[in-house]
Every structure is written in structure tokens, then in C-alpha cells.
Amino acid sequence: MKKVGFLTSGGDCQSLNATMRGVAKTLYQKYDDVEIYGILEGYKGLIYGNYRKMKPGDFSGILTEGGTIIGTSRQPFKKMREPDENGLDKVKAMKENYKKWGLDCLVILGGNGTHKTANLLSEEGCNVVTLPKTIDNDIWGTDITFGFQSAVNIATNAIDCIHTTAASHGRVFIVEVMGHKVGWLTLHAGIAGGADIILLPEIPYDINSVVKALDKRNKQGKRFSILAVAEGAISKEDAKLSKKELKAKKQENLYPSISYKVGQEIQERTGQEVRITVPGHTQRGGEPCPYDRVISSRLGSAAARLIIEGKYGYMVGIKNNEIIPVPLSEVAGKLKTVNPDSSIIREAKGLGISFGD
Ligand code: F6P
């Protein structure tokens, strides 16, 4: 009998269930006696021994269902080696449960932090296959992550809705898009939604350049402007600070988020009325878009194929539309960021989009 543990970890996204369904369906096609353990709430379930034995029916009807049927939680990698409040050695506990349940392997769906812990478990002797989940699209080793395109659709829709009201009132609108460390989501939604200014963590902005871009639009007779601002957008000034200095500065900050700071500066310098919209977690909610359903099904099926072949220690990624296994040791600890010199940035600038640089 094959025993496989499924685990979803970190922030959720729309296509987790579709991906698990892809793995499960392929395994059920191959084996009559496969048993799937749904490990509850991510690594927490593996540490504290919480799981649910899944049945084939559990994976029916979930292709279009957002969230995760087995729950998730954030368990920071940097705390994995620290004992919990009762002195429990978390890594040891995870290995013991893996052994106690008699698992042949773990299928782990998650983002960057999740991959670091997955790699640790693999190094500690567990058989692991992972799948790249995140609306941020920042996992190294794959062109795209599942969840990203669904989130792009939602963030774009938010910008689309803002367009009509911005045009009616002649205001400056800021739409704050998720992404603390990377700006893929903001970049794609910004271009798709026709934003005039896009601010990303990877391209520190100068507020003078932002104001200049707004002035240019005003001179062209445009009555409104839209900014797509990533949660992690940063000014040139702040980008020069050390991590410690930046943390201290953020603590003193009176603004709920970066958009409010940018908004106030624009209002003060231009006298234009500014409004801020934060779609927040709506970007991770609802059903997966068809594109995500397709890649999730493909990735899930390919992950099951690795299990069938007994190939462990890999993340299943996508390169040039082909599914490929990428060694976990290469993925863990790296981030796929937007390159400021890449062609997508050049093309966006060619369209007249300002990045405030
Ligand atoms: O990593 C996904 C993500 O949605 C980021 O874009 C965002 O910065 C973060 O998670 C929010 O985390 P939480 O849901 O824990 O507030």
C-alpha cells in the first residue's frame, strides 16, 4: 500500500484544491490501494500529529473551490529549529509522525518559506515532492506559480472598477496590490488594468518622479491618474537604509501602509484629491481562474508521476510551458524577483507607464 501525506502551508491561494485534486486523481488512477493523509493546517499538523484520512470523494468537486480543504497556517522556517513553548523539538516531531504514520512521501504545497522547511525535511531523510503555490509568483525555478493568475485577475478587476470612478471625479487613485517582497502581481495587474504609475519593491521610487508623471498627465488634459502600488513598494531614500534602520523607521510610521504615505505626499505636492483602495485578501480568495486550473491539474499530475517513479526531493515547476522537476536544494532560500532591466519593464515604460524611478 502507498501512503502519501498532503500538506498545504503558508498563505492560501485559489488553486490549492485544484492542485491536490490533480495529484490525488493521478495517484488513484495508478494505484487501487493508495491512502492519502490530509495533514491539517500545514506543518502544524505534521508537528502535532493532526491529520485526516482522505477518501477519493474528498477530491471531487474541488477543482473550482478556492482555499484549502485541509487548512493551512504560517510556521516560520526560522523558528523550526527552536523548541515550541512546551519544549517540543519540531523537526524531530515531524520526522516521528512521518514514520509513525508509515508515509512513503509528503506532497507539500507552498511558497518560499514552505520550501525551506520542505528542503529541511528532505535533508532529514523524508521523501518530499513540492508544488509551487503563491499569488506572488516569486518562487525560484518556475516561470509561474499557481494562484498568481487568479490573483492578477482580481487585482486587475479592482483597477478596472476604480477606472470608472476615477474618471468621473478626476481624482488620483492608488490601488495597493499584495506583494511585500516582489512586484509580479502589481506589475501584471498594473499593466492589465492600464495603471499610469506602477511602484514595485524592486524599483525604488522617487516621489518627485511620481509627481512629474502626474503633472505630465495633467498637462495632457487627463483628468485622473491611477497608481498600482505594491505593498512592499519602497522609496529610494528608504532603500538605502539597512534592514534594522528600515524596521525602526516602519515602527515610527503613522501610515497604515505605503499607499497612504505615497497618497499624502501626492496630495501635498499636487493639491490633487487622492483616494486609496486596498483589495487585500480578496486577491487570494474565490475560485481559481481557468488558467490556474489547467496548470494546477498539470503540476498535480506531474507530482504524482514523480511519486510513482519514486523520485523525491523535487519541486514540480514550469519552464517554457513544460513541466520540469527542480531539485529542492536549488529552490530553497531563493526568491524570483522582477528584474528592473527585463523586457517587460522596458515594454511597460514604452507604453508610457512610470515606475517612479
Ligand atoms: O505570500 C502571499 C501574500 O498574500 C503576500 O502577497 C502578502 O504580503 C502576504 O501573503 C500576506 O500575509 P497574511 O495573509 O499572513 O497577512
Side-chain angles (χ1 to χ4, degrees):
M1 177 189 286
K2 238 331 180 233
K3 283 189 182 181
V4 181
F6 282 16
L7 181 160
T8 55
S9 168
D12 72 342
C13 76
Q14 293 87 344
S15 214
L16 282 161
N17 288 329
T19 309
M20 286 193 277
R21 171 185 174 271
V23 185
K25 268 181 105 67
T26 310
L27 289 176
Y28 288 135
Q29 286 286 329
K30 175 71 186 172
Y31 303 108
D32 291 329
D33 58 351
V34 64
E35 202 162 68
I36 296 176
Y37 282 50
I39 300 168
L40 304 177
E41 294 180 41
Y43 289 119
K44 208 191 218 177
L46 191 55
I47 297 169
Y48 298 106
N50 300 323
Y51 71 91
R52 169 159 82 88
K53 278 195 191 162
M54 311 294 282
K55 296 186 205 75
D58 291 322
F59 297 97
S60 292
I62 61 167
L63 177 62
T64 58
E65 209 180 287
T68 159
I69 55 169
I70 53 176
T72 186
S73 66
R74 288 199 187 275
Q75 303 293 320
F77 171 71
K78 59 181 177 207
K79 294 209 171 145
M80 277 299 176
R81 290 282 185 198
E82 289 173 20
D84 77 355
E85 58 280 10
N86 298 313
L88 181 81
D89 179 333
K90 294 176 208 152
V91 177
K92 192 165 160 239
M94 287 195 284
K95 279 162 54 185
E96 278 173 3
N97 282 324
Y98 174 88
K99 278 211 188 98
K100 190 168 89 190
W101 299 337
L103 296 179
D104 291 293
C105 73
L106 289 167
V107 175
I108 299 177
L109 294 79
N112 279 303
T114 300
H115 273 85
K116 290 189 216 166
T117 302
N119 185 48
L120 184 154
L121 288 171
S122 170
E123 285 172 350
E124 291 281 336
C126 301
N127 292 329
V128 177
V129 171
T130 70
L131 288 143
K133 163 243 68 165
T134 170
I135 64 163
D136 296 335
N137 194 31
D138 59 354
I139 299 182
W140 191 92
T142 185
D143 289 342
I144 193 139
T145 57
F146 59 85
F148 173 64
Q149 200 57 55
S150 302
V152 168
N153 292 359
I154 294 170
T156 303
N157 187 255
I159 300 175
D160 288 348
C161 293
I162 288 300
H163 246 113
T164 55
T165 173
S168 314
H169 287 273
R171 288 169 170 164
V172 173
F173 264 92
I174 297 179
V175 180
E176 185 172 288
V177 180
M178 271 190 163
H180 270 300
K181 292 186 181 151
V182 301
W184 291 109
L185 184 52
T186 311
L187 178 61
H188 281 242
I191 294 174
D196 309 296
I197 298 170
I198 298 177
L199 304 184
L200 308 178
E202 295 91 336
I203 308 180
Y205 67 86
D206 177 347
I207 196 68
N208 296 314
S209 306
V210 172
V211 168
K212 220 163 143 189
L214 291 170
D215 282 346
K216 191 173 165 195
R217 277 184 61 79
N218 291 341
K219 283 191 188 114
Q220 288 167 343
K222 312 274 179 163
R223 290 188 62 243
F224 71 96
S225 294
I226 295 181
L227 288 85
V229 174
E231 280 177 318
I234 185 164
S235 68
K236 286 195 175 180
E237 195 192 341
D238 285 354
K240 287 188 195 131
L241 301 177
S242 68
K243 259 190 179 173
K244 208 174 153 193
E245 289 168 330
L246 192 61
K247 204 174 163 196
K249 194 171 174 187
K250 275 187 182 161
Q251 267 161 5
E252 286 168 16
N253 222 333
L254 300 171
Y255 305 103
S257 68
I258 185 70
S259 298
Y260 290 85
K261 180 173 185 273
V262 173
Q264 185 170 332
E265 286 173 338
I266 291 175
Q267 203 152 317
E268 279 168 8
R269 284 161 190 254
T270 66
Q272 282 182 275
E273 224 181 341
V274 182
R275 290 290 186 273
I276 292 152
T277 298
V278 184
H281 286 77
T282 63
Q283 292 162 96
R284 293 214 310 243
E287 59 180 31
C289 66
Y291 181 87
D292 271 337
R293 294 179 206 177
V294 174
I295 63 164
S296 282
S297 302
R298 289 182 64 196
L299 287 165
S301 180
R305 175 66 38 206
L306 287 184
I307 296 167
I308 292 162
E309 290 167 4
K311 281 177 78 177
Y312 300 114
Y314 292 96
M315 176 189 82
V316 186
I318 304 182
K319 276 271 166 214
N320 302 322
N321 205 28
E322 288 294 317
I323 305 281
I324 49 151
V326 191
L328 270 180
S329 54
E330 288 179 20
V331 177
K334 291 189 199 141
L335 205 59
K336 186 184 72 186
T337 56
V338 176
N339 177 353
D341 299 319
S342 56
S343 80
I344 187 167
I345 299 292
R346 279 199 302 280
E347 288 133 19
K349 285 185 174 174
L351 294 168
I353 297 172
S354 164
F355 287 84
D357 54 342

